[in-house]
């Protein structure tokens, strides 16, 4: 007798019948379709052994079910993408989901190179420097009044020039008397210490740190003999050719404050009314 050749699942003879091998085990067509065939994601029916099957992201489809969910066109031989698990042809995706290039007003196709900045989108070749009109691509750029510049063009054509070194000022800096400086270039005229972020004053057009201004130009308080710089509370009293910090303007004998009160000069002293009357 010849050896039997049966379906692994139902044990019916496969002699003279079509069959499909699964892991070296023969299956009749009905058993194969029932046990091993995939279910179509779209119509939920079995994809039979003789049907054309398409596969996308772990999902299986009949070829005639693989269609755009918007316009229903077949995607079997068309470019497509997915939107929230739904298949969409390129035309529908572009009309509903794709951005438009703000330069040429054409659709930025899915998968194409593009640039996004400030809520706007450009084709890579459309994002060009306003100065030299060369594509900026992935290079650094600087926005200015709704225009975009590559760094060399911005520094050479747009950026303000530092009053000290005459080089372009591209970020930060100090403004003083309607002129701009790099922070590292804004220095005390006297000691050359950086003044950015520090209190300073001026003599004529020249900036000075407090220490240099005090030693070179500030008047001395007749009470404590230190400089009156105008910093701190900035208030002082002047009488004759002398000046006092407000806290230092007090009676030479009893030390009561004379600010806002009557006083009497007595040679090198200033006296309150009571001390003057004692004389």
């Amino acid at each position: 007798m010849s050896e039997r050749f049966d379906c692994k699942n139902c044990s019916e003879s496969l002699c003279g019948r079509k069959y499909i091998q699964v892991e070296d085990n023969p299956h009749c067509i009905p058993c194969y379709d029932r046990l091993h065939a995939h279910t179509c994601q779209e119509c939920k029916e079995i994809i039979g052994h003789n049907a054309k099957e398409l596969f996308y992201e772990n999902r299986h489809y009949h070829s005639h079910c693989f269609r755009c969910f918007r316009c229903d066109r077949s995607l079997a031989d068309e470019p497509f993408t997915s939107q929230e698990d739904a298949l969409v042809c390129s035309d529908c995706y572009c009309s509903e989901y794709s951005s438009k290039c703000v330069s040429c007003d054409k659709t930025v196709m899915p998968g194409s190179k593009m640039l996004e900045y400030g809520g706007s989108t450009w084709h890579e070749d459309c994002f060009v420097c306003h100065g030299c009109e060369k594509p900026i691509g992935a290079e650094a750029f600087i926005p200015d009044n709704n225009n975009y510049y590559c760094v060399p063009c911005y520094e050479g054509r747009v950026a303000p020039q530092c009053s000290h070194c005459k080089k372009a000022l591209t970020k930060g800096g100090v403004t003083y008397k309607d002129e701009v400086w790099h922070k590292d270039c804004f220095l005390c005229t006297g000691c050359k210490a950086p003044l950015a972020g520090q209190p300073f004053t001026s003599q004529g057009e020249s900036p000075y740190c407090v220490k240099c201004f005090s030693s070179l130009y500030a008047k001395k308080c007749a009470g404590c003999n230190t400089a009156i710089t105008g910093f701190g509370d900035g208030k002082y009293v002047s009488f004759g050719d002398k000046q006092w910090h407000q806290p230092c303007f007090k009676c030479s004998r009893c030390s009561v404050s004379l600010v806002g009160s009557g006083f009497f000069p007595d040679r090198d002293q200033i006296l309150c009314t009571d001390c003057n009357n004692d004389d």
Side-chain angles (χ1 to χ4, degrees), residues 59-93:
R59 291 174 287 178
H60 300 264
Y61 300 82
H62 292 105
S63 62
H64 60 271
C65 292
F66 196 65
R67 314 181 76 83
C68 173
F69 92 105
R70 288 289 184 187
C71 67
D72 204 39
R73 70 193 289 183
S74 173
L75 300 177
D77 299 307
E78 298 287 338
F80 68 91
T81 186
S82 62
Q83 185 71 18
E84 298 179 354
D85 292 334
L87 302 175
V88 187
C89 68
S90 292
D91 290 343
C92 287
Y93 183 87

Side-chain angles (χ1 to χ4, degrees), residues 117-128:
Y117 178 76
S120 298
T121 305
W122 291 261
H123 294 108
E124 186 179 53
D125 293 339
C126 291
F127 190 61
V128 299

Side-chain angles (χ1 to χ4, degrees), residues 8-122:
K8 175 67 176 178
N9 183 63
C10 66
S11 300
E12 290 188 9
S13 174
L14 296 177
C15 292
R17 299 173 61 189
K18 289 183 178 180
Y19 68 93
I20 297 174
Q21 202 88 353
V22 180
E23 296 180 354
D24 296 329
N25 296 313
H27 288 68
C28 65
I29 298 303
C31 284
Y32 174 83
D33 284 346
R34 181 166 52 85
L35 297 175
H36 300 289
H38 296 115
T39 300
C40 177
Q41 177 74 20
E42 184 65 24
C43 70
K44 310 305 180 185
E45 295 184 1
I46 294 295
I47 303 174
H49 70 284
N50 58 348
K52 186 176 180 181
E53 179 178 345
L54 296 175
F55 175 78
Y56 176 69
E57 290 188 349
N58 296 320
R59 291 174 287 178
H60 300 264
Y61 300 82
H62 292 105
S63 62
H64 60 271
C65 292
F66 196 65
R67 314 181 76 83
C68 173
F69 92 105
R70 288 289 184 187
C71 67
D72 204 39
R73 70 193 289 183
S74 173
L75 300 177
D77 299 307
E78 298 287 338
F80 68 91
T81 186
S82 62
Q83 185 71 18
E84 298 179 354
D85 292 334
L87 302 175
V88 187
C89 68
S90 292
D91 290 343
C92 287
Y93 183 87
C94 290
S95 64
E96 296 195 32
Y97 303 108
S98 287
S99 302
K100 282 195 173 183
C101 174
V102 296
S103 177
C104 68
D105 201 38
K106 294 181 180 179
T107 299
V108 180
M109 299 296 290
S112 62
K113 292 183 178 181
M114 66 177 185
L115 287 156
E116 293 181 310
Y117 178 76
S120 298
T121 305
W122 291 261

Side-chain angles (χ1 to χ4, degrees), residues 185-204:
C185 292
F186 189 59
L187 308 175
C188 171
T189 306
C191 66
K192 307 304 179 185
L195 294 178
Q198 303 297 322
F200 69 92
T201 187
S202 63
Q203 179 66 21

